[in-house]
Amino acid sequence: MPSTKKCIITIEIGTNAVRVVAFDLSGKTIASMKGSYPTFHSQPDFSEQDPEQIFITLLYVLKNLLNEYIHPSRTQVLSICFSASMHSVLAIDKSGIPLGNAITWADNRAQKEVQQLKNSPACNSIYTATGTPMHPMSPLFKIAWLKNNDKERFSNTSKFIQLKTYIIQQLTGEYLIDYSLASATGLLNIHTIEWEEEALAYAGINKGMLADPVPIFTSCGKLKKAYQNSLGLTAATQLIVGSSDGCLATLGAGVWGGQKATITIEDSGAVRVIGQKVLNDKQQRFFNYLLTENCYVSGGPTNSGGIIFEWFAKQFGDFKNPFDLEHTIEDLISVAAKVEAGADGLLFLPYLLGERAPIWDANARGVFFGINIKHERNHFVRAVIEGILFEIYSIGKILEEHSTIKSLSINGSFASIPLCAQIIADVFNKPVSISQHNYSVGAGAYLLSATEMGIFKDLDEAARSIVLTEQYFPKKNIHGVYMKHFEIFETLSTRLKPDFENVVSLQ
């Protein structure tokens, strides 16, 4: 007898882990599972991951979720939708074999290539065409770095692809990249939706060396027979190419136009708005990524998200056992809640991985500032949290120069902590809401799949289906306290630029 239960599965290929979530057709979460993989830092500015390790982890997590929750209940998997973090680059040979590790968004090795393009007349035209700021995160510069510094790998490369493209190719044999991830490469003209010739020329490649850009609703071929058998799925299971994690986190937060912004803080972070126009910033501080035709996700990313607090927890947390990071972070959050706003004048610049928006300085480094003899461990914990959120505010502040923002919807593991949500409301001086979904990227991928199936008539209607369960409002007088601290934070971020460069030369 055919099954009457049906589900949509979403696969999020994140920075440090893959998360698989199964939703019923009404959007209710049936089950979720997560599997982690490492990032390798052979040099301070290098961040790489093993693509085969990611693929094996994905298969392991997906198979476990299917075997434990989906197949026993005879639930039919209608579709699988993919998302991934942006800006990764993987060189493959003509047989599709990876030529080394994938280079991730956090990799800053291509600083010389960035400066070279910034000093050329092509800088403005490439930014205007692609909407991608000039920074080593961009695959445009990663490919140029390989051309200049790893000539053997560059000459043996048949294609430069994104990690999600690699996963989809492994599962189906197709080389596809969705519009949003393509526009995050710095190589796609977001106005013509064609690979930008001027950017291709700078990187030293042709468009045949990239995957084919396709709309986010595109079906990306049939699952190979071997994986159908291994996973217990059929050829009828639709595979949807999906979008980037950032775009889907915005959709999953219920933001689709209007005077609202999304704040996402996972390992990294971002402030984003969605609209039908590109936000033209003369200082090139924003990204404008294409989501669908004539629809753009605009905003700024930060390297200094939850990964910075996780670093602090690993170095200074009180571990009950070596694998107890989650509980250690919870303990530190409770400690921070006991300290007054502003951490008694202790400030933290969270630039351990350099920084993207708004300062776009890959040499930026972390700083504790204002330490006096009365500061204790609790103040440092609070200062780290506030420093991460000041950095988020600095992005929102410049975004408001171009877009009216009256309220915020926040998501991600870090942003959904009540203490952090309240600090965001106080710093921004705006109401903050949280959606009912714990997995915002997965929720966005579900909405995309459900729209493709006709459950929603369009993404606007899909976004409006998101239920907001909690709200935080700014507390009286606290915003003023934070603004006094933020003024110093902002000044330090700019004034220390030459010293960041000097200290990097010692590392």
Side-chain angles (χ1 to χ4, degrees):
M1 178 182 293
S3 170
T4 58
K5 297 179 181 178
K6 297 177 171 56
C7 76
I8 293 169
I9 286 180
T10 65
I11 294 178
E12 176 187 354
I13 306 160
T15 302
N16 293 318
V18 60
R19 184 186 297 279
V20 180
V21 185
F23 295 89
D24 69 16
L25 299 192
S26 71
K28 182 181 177 182
T29 302
I30 298 172
S32 72
M33 284 191 175
K34 178 181 175 183
S36 301
Y37 32 77
T39 300
F40 308 109
H41 305 282
S42 59
Q43 298 183 41
D45 281 333
F46 284 32
S47 294
E48 298 183 351
Q49 291 178 324
D50 181 345
E52 294 180 60
Q53 190 172 20
I54 293 174
F55 183 56
I56 291 169
T57 304
L58 183 153
L59 289 177
Y60 176 80
V61 175
L62 175 60
K63 188 167 184 173
N64 277 349
L65 181 136
L66 290 168
N67 287 342
E68 189 165 339
Y69 295 102
I70 304 303
H71 294 326
S73 61
R74 297 176 56 80
T75 300
Q76 181 185 0
V77 180
L78 293 181
S79 69
I80 297 175
C81 184
F82 297 89
S83 72
S85 54
M86 292 179 270
H87 312 304
S88 66
V89 169
L90 176 64
I92 58 170
D93 66 14
K94 60 184 179 182
S95 299
I97 306 298
L99 300 170
N101 287 330
I103 306 173
T104 77
W105 62 267
D107 193 286
N108 284 324
R109 73 183 70 178
Q111 294 183 55
K112 287 184 180 177
E113 283 70 22
V114 172
Q115 201 55 51
Q116 180 188 45
L117 187 56
K118 279 186 174 179
N119 294 336
S120 82
C123 179
N124 285 338
S125 57
I126 289 179
Y127 172 74
T128 301
T130 67
T132 306
M134 301 295 138
H135 187 272
M137 70 174 185
S138 173
L140 166 67
F141 297 111
K142 292 181 169 79
I143 295 171
W145 185 93
L146 290 169
K147 178 185 67 174
N148 296 333
N149 299 278
D150 194 344
K151 298 182 189 304
E152 183 177 357
R153 179 159 40 157
F154 187 84
S155 64
N156 290 329
T157 298
S158 174
K159 284 184 183 293
F160 292 100
I161 60 175
Q162 209 265 352
L163 274 169
K164 192 174 84 173
T165 300
Y166 176 73
I167 298 295
I168 289 173
Q169 195 279 332
Q170 291 294 301
L171 293 172
T172 69
E174 302 286 340
Y175 285 107
L176 302 175
I177 183 168
D178 72 82
Y179 285 169
S180 65
L181 281 174
S183 66
T185 63
L187 291 153
L188 186 79
N189 187 312
I190 58 175
H191 309 285
T192 63
I193 320 182
E194 300 283 346
W195 294 116
E196 170 63 27
E197 291 294 342
E198 194 172 21
L200 292 173
Y202 175 77
I205 60 174
N206 59 65
K207 61 183 181 183
M209 297 177 72
L210 300 170
D212 297 329
V214 294
I216 58 177
F217 295 105
T218 301
S219 295
C220 43
K222 291 182 179 178
L223 194 62
K224 291 178 179 175
K225 191 68 178 177
Y227 295 118
Q228 292 178 32
N229 295 336
S230 172
L231 296 169
L233 297 172
T234 70
T237 303
Q238 186 183 24
L239 303 184
I240 299 175
V241 66
S243 182
S244 68
D245 56 359
C247 289
L248 290 177
T250 305
L251 180 63
V255 172
W256 187 262
Q259 297 177 332
K260 199 170 185 178
T262 302
I263 293 174
T264 302
I265 310 177
E266 292 282 2
D267 292 324
S268 59
V271 186
R272 306 181 187 89
V273 295
I274 292 182
Q276 295 184 329
K277 293 182 179 178
V278 172
L279 300 184
N280 291 311
D281 183 64
K282 292 182 179 178
Q283 298 179 57
Q284 303 182 4
R285 294 171 296 179
F286 304 146
F287 57 70
N288 289 283
Y289 296 143
L290 186 70
L291 181 56
T292 63
E293 290 186 23
N294 301 317
C295 178
Y296 304 92
V297 176
S298 304
T302 170
N303 294 350
S304 308
I307 197 170
I308 303 302
F309 194 69
E310 185 174 312
W311 165 84
F312 182 85
K314 286 178 178 176
Q315 310 309 317
F316 306 107
D318 184 16
F319 281 78
K320 301 295 187 295
N321 68 65
F323 304 107
D324 199 19
L325 180 62
E326 187 172 338
H327 288 100
T328 301
I329 287 176
E330 288 177 3
D331 287 344
L332 289 173
I333 295 291
S334 65
V335 164
K338 298 174 183 174
V339 178
E340 295 291 328
D344 285 341
L346 180 62
L347 290 104
F348 175 63
L349 306 187
Y351 306 138
L352 274 65
L353 290 168
E355 188 51 290
R356 291 183 284 175
I359 61 173
W360 295 101
D361 184 356
N363 288 326
R365 291 294 183 266
V367 175
F368 279 106
F369 183 77
I371 306 170
N372 68 40
I373 198 70
K374 292 185 177 178
H375 284 135
E376 300 175 347
R377 177 173 173 270
N378 296 0
H379 295 94
F380 285 84
V381 181
R382 178 87 184 200
V384 169
I385 294 173
E386 291 180 348
I388 293 168
L389 299 180
F390 281 154
E391 182 60 21
I392 290 288
Y393 176 66
S394 68
I395 300 170
K397 184 166 173 268
I398 60 169
L399 198 56
E400 283 198 282
E401 295 174 17
H402 299 262
S403 180
T404 300
I405 301 172
K406 291 187 176 179
S407 64
L408 304 164
S409 180
I410 66 173
N411 55 34
S413 57
F414 190 80
S416 301
I417 297 167
L419 173 67
C420 298
Q422 186 60 58
I423 294 175
I424 291 171
D426 293 335
V427 171
F428 277 79
N429 203 27
K430 299 182 191 299
V432 164
S433 57
I434 300 175
S435 80
Q436 90 267 28
H437 288 288
N438 293 327
Y439 318 114
S440 55
V441 176
Y446 156 76
L447 294 176
L448 192 159
S449 298
T451 302
E452 196 281 334
M453 290 177 184
I455 295 174
F456 302 108
K457 71 175 182 181
D458 53 30
L459 292 177
D460 185 16
E461 182 179 281
R464 283 189 275 109
S465 74
I466 293 295
V467 177
L468 303 176
T469 56
E470 293 183 73
Q471 282 198 304
Y472 296 82
F473 297 94
K475 294 178 181 176
K476 191 176 181 181
N477 300 328
I478 298 297
H479 176 67
V481 172
Y482 278 131
M483 288 305 95
K484 290 178 182 177
H485 290 73
F486 177 75
E487 185 177 349
I488 301 171
F489 176 94
E490 192 171 43
T491 300
L492 288 172
S493 298
T494 305
R495 192 174 292 169
L496 288 176
K497 184 176 179 60
D499 297 301
F500 288 147
E501 189 170 343
N502 289 335
V503 80
V504 164
S505 69
L506 304 176
Q507 296 178 345

